[in-house]
Amino acid sequence: MRETRRVTVTLPAEDADRLRRVAEESDVASVSAYVSAAVRERLGRDAALAELRRLYAELGVCVEEQHHTWARGALGLDDAAPRGNSS
């Protein structure tokens, strides 16, 4: 079994309520399992984007925000959560 650590996260009440409902109605073991899977997915995506940025920089490729905007639109991700520093 993986080593685990407890982390406290504060969410808006509506999101916390939705999260509990989704966890109860789905096949996940718990809210913690649901959040853990979501965080693992996001960390993987962020790592892939960091590697892509590194490769672009190594090749001297410059990708501007307009390219990311187009790609998000083409992939249907316009309504995605804020990307923070992942653009």
Side-chain angles (χ1 to χ4, degrees), residues 38-84:
V39 168
R40 193 174 312 113
E41 181 180 322
R42 176 64 187 259
L43 289 171
R45 186 179 74 186
D46 289 349
L49 286 171
E51 179 64 8
L52 187 57
R53 274 192 217 93
R54 186 191 69 74
L55 291 170
Y56 280 163
E58 189 177 291
L59 296 171
V61 174
C62 179
V63 179
E64 298 177 7
E65 182 58 30
Q66 66 190 23
H67 300 114
H68 290 283
T69 300
W70 176 87
R72 283 192 306 275
L75 294 170
L77 301 175
D78 286 337
D79 296 328
R83 295 168 297 135

Side-chain angles (χ1 to χ4, degrees), residues 14-58:
E14 306 83 39
D15 292 344
D17 293 342
R18 261 181 88 193
L19 179 58
R20 284 191 185 94
R21 277 194 307 275
V22 167
E24 290 169 0
E25 296 169 359
S26 69
D27 59 349
V28 297
S30 64
V31 169
S32 290
Y34 186 93
V35 171
S36 180
V39 168
R40 193 174 312 113
E41 181 180 322
R42 176 64 187 259
L43 289 171
R45 186 179 74 186
D46 289 349
L49 286 171
E51 179 64 8
L52 187 57
R53 274 192 217 93
R54 186 191 69 74
L55 291 170
Y56 280 163
E58 189 177 291

